[in-house]
Amino acid sequence: MFMKSALVALGGATLAAAVTPLEVQGNQFVNSKSGDAFQIVGMAYQIGGSAGYDPSHGKDPLSNGDICKRDAALMQELGVNAIRVYNLDPNLNHDECASIFNAAGMYMIIDVNSPLAGESLNSGAPWESYYAGYLNRTFAVVEAFKSYPNTLGFFAGNEVIDNVKTGATVPPYVRAVTRDLKNYIKNHADRAIPVGYSAADVRDVLEDSWNYFQCAIDGDANDMSRADMFALNSYSWCGESSFKESGYDQLVAMFKSSSVPVFYSEYGCNTPSPRVFTEVGTIYSDQMMGTFSGGVVYEWAQEKNNYGLAECNDDGTVNLLSDYATLQNQYKKVDFSKVQSIKATNNKVTPPECKASLIKEDGFNNNFTLPAVPPGAQDIIDNGVSPKPSGKIVEISDYSVKHTVKDANGKELSGLAVKPLADDAVNTPGSTGDSTTSSGSSDSSHNAAPTLAPQGAASAAAMIIPAVVALCFTAGFTLI
């Protein structure tokens, strides 16, 4: 997938062309126009952490266009082609941010849950949190994002199963939510949008979680409760590791027969710190690409857990950390024009039939009788949420970044702007031109001491109708 560009007057309004919606074919994401298999080069994006989601004050990570423009421009230079967003308010307008990321050639992977009460499944007692009001909110997230062409998919749950105890009760409810979301999308969206699960990389329950969600009840491959994709938050590659030392070889062996796409929904161990991101070359190599569909680096904005690539300050300014340049350099070592131009195999993988023998861990749920749709929820599935959020790609009058951004050496970047890509183009590392951002880092810019791997959150998602023609800014990074 190569990027095309055209010149536009700085500040001139453009309606960005749409990225091509992706389809699930067997165990691959596929560009429906080119027929190429798609590898996710993703970034976890949750500005402000949990505090960045504040419905009472009309605030979530995709509600401020200027901030999205700032971060999309920086991620575009980095080479990101997808963002994962955890906590979103379906009642806010996300048109500007969705349009900016679309113009930059980036897809959105969206969690439909949030940490707030009543907005996610309770892993301790999932039957208490699975009711019509909860589902209504998840459907509202779908409504808010289903019409954006760059909505890649939705996560029905994130790390809800993290041990055998939760594995005993939670799986049927996550699968029920998956069923309800897919039925809602079937009734109210103009295309199929994948729904899946983001798992904790806890090996005691990982394989059983995957099998529980990918299998077909009664052998029906069209079973609506079956996940369309499976992802894992994995931090097993730390520092100068290797395919075998990290256990990546075990993950490839585990998922090689997957009937759905598998990818890292989070990766990037921060021990040692600063990070070296040596796993990048392996993730996008022949060793893994036949089984995995890429991954999402955790995370964009620096928080207390010390996984950020950038310090995003309250006044809108940004200080890039050394991890940004390190990751960028690792991406540059990969031939992404080759990675993203591999034709899909078109192999139809038959999912395993759901049966008790599929589950290996003693105590993990092996019953595939799912909870019935809660009272009142079927009416919402049939007729839609009310009031109904909506989203559409909008015209962006100016793609230039207004906020001050400094590299890891403290040097200010100038001429920073999102470069709108041509129709059907997707962002690729190195395709927007070499940035003059320093790859070095000052002592004060190094990341803090390492911490344990983070626990993910949950969120919203969406999508919209294709657009027209995209033009491209000639402005790039320069130091002043």
Side-chain angles (χ1 to χ4, degrees), residues 41 49 90 110 175 202 223 264 345 356-357 384 388 416 440 458:
V41 184
I110 302 199
R175 189 151 177 155
V202 178
D223 168 20
Y264 291 114
T345 60
S357 60
K388 186 174 292 187
L416 181 60

XYZ file of all heavy atoms in Angstrom, residues 41 49 90 110 175 202 223 264 345 356-357 384 388 416 440 458:
112
model
N 0.123 -1.764 12.317
C 1.265 -1.059 12.925
C 0.613 -0.023 13.836
O 0.410 1.135 13.456
C 2.164 -0.406 11.860
C 3.398 0.223 12.511
C 2.577 -1.427 10.803
N -4.947 9.023 30.211
C -5.257 7.783 30.919
C -6.741 7.681 31.207
O -7.583 8.181 30.457
N -20.081 7.842 23.620
C -20.815 7.837 22.359
C -21.658 9.077 22.129
O -22.103 9.333 21.002
C -21.697 6.585 22.468
C -21.843 6.351 23.938
C -20.545 6.783 24.541
N -11.625 0.041 18.466
C -12.300 0.705 19.569
C -12.910 -0.273 20.552
O -13.617 -1.202 20.168
C -13.344 1.673 19.015
C -12.625 2.656 18.124
C -14.169 2.294 20.094
C -13.255 3.915 17.778
N -18.953 -13.773 25.261
C -19.436 -14.302 23.982
C -20.861 -13.805 23.701
O -21.213 -13.540 22.546
C -19.372 -15.826 23.997
C -19.656 -16.431 22.655
C -18.974 -17.747 22.406
N -19.395 -18.235 21.095
C -18.722 -19.059 20.324
N -17.530 -19.495 20.715
N -19.179 -19.449 19.157
N -1.985 -14.289 29.819
C -1.826 -15.180 30.970
C -1.929 -16.589 30.413
O -3.016 -17.038 30.016
C -2.907 -14.924 32.038
C -2.764 -15.899 33.201
C -2.833 -13.479 32.522
N -22.140 -18.631 13.200
C -22.642 -18.388 14.552
C -22.304 -16.950 14.967
O -21.136 -16.561 14.986
C -22.000 -19.410 15.483
C -22.185 -19.103 16.955
O -23.103 -18.343 17.293
O -21.396 -19.642 17.751
N -1.317 -8.516 18.374
C -1.014 -7.945 19.687
C -1.830 -6.665 19.862
O -1.615 -5.685 19.155
C 0.476 -7.625 19.821
C 1.371 -8.833 19.885
C 2.278 -9.111 18.857
C 1.332 -9.696 20.968
C 3.103 -10.219 18.917
C 2.155 -10.816 21.037
C 3.037 -11.076 20.010
O 3.856 -12.175 20.067
N -4.179 -14.996 1.421
C -4.148 -16.405 1.021
C -5.495 -16.895 0.507
O -5.566 -17.874 -0.233
C -3.739 -17.288 2.209
O -4.695 -17.126 3.267
C -2.353 -16.902 2.715
N -16.675 -29.457 24.956
C -15.941 -29.423 26.223
C -14.483 -29.842 26.055
O -13.592 -29.299 26.721
C -16.633 -30.311 27.250
N -14.193 -30.769 25.154
C -12.827 -31.273 24.981
C -11.882 -30.223 24.418
O -10.660 -30.387 24.462
C -12.841 -32.500 24.069
O -13.370 -32.168 22.792
N -32.692 -0.148 17.164
C -31.627 0.831 17.340
C -31.739 1.605 18.644
O -32.791 1.643 19.271
N -29.994 8.408 18.865
C -29.006 7.678 18.086
C -27.824 8.580 17.730
O -27.984 9.545 16.984
C -29.663 7.144 16.818
C -28.774 6.235 15.984
C -29.563 5.637 14.819
C -30.613 4.660 15.313
N -31.262 3.946 14.181
N 4.996 21.267 11.497
C 4.344 19.988 11.779
C 2.886 20.028 11.339
O 2.130 20.922 11.719
C 4.449 19.690 13.277
C 3.857 18.375 13.781
C 4.523 17.190 13.103
C 4.032 18.273 15.300
N 18.405 11.261 18.818
C 19.069 11.165 20.106
C 18.154 11.567 21.230
O 17.039 11.992 21.017
N -11.307 -0.342 28.525
C -12.273 -0.748 27.528
C -12.943 0.459 26.920
O -12.958 1.501 27.489
C -13.305 -1.644 28.172
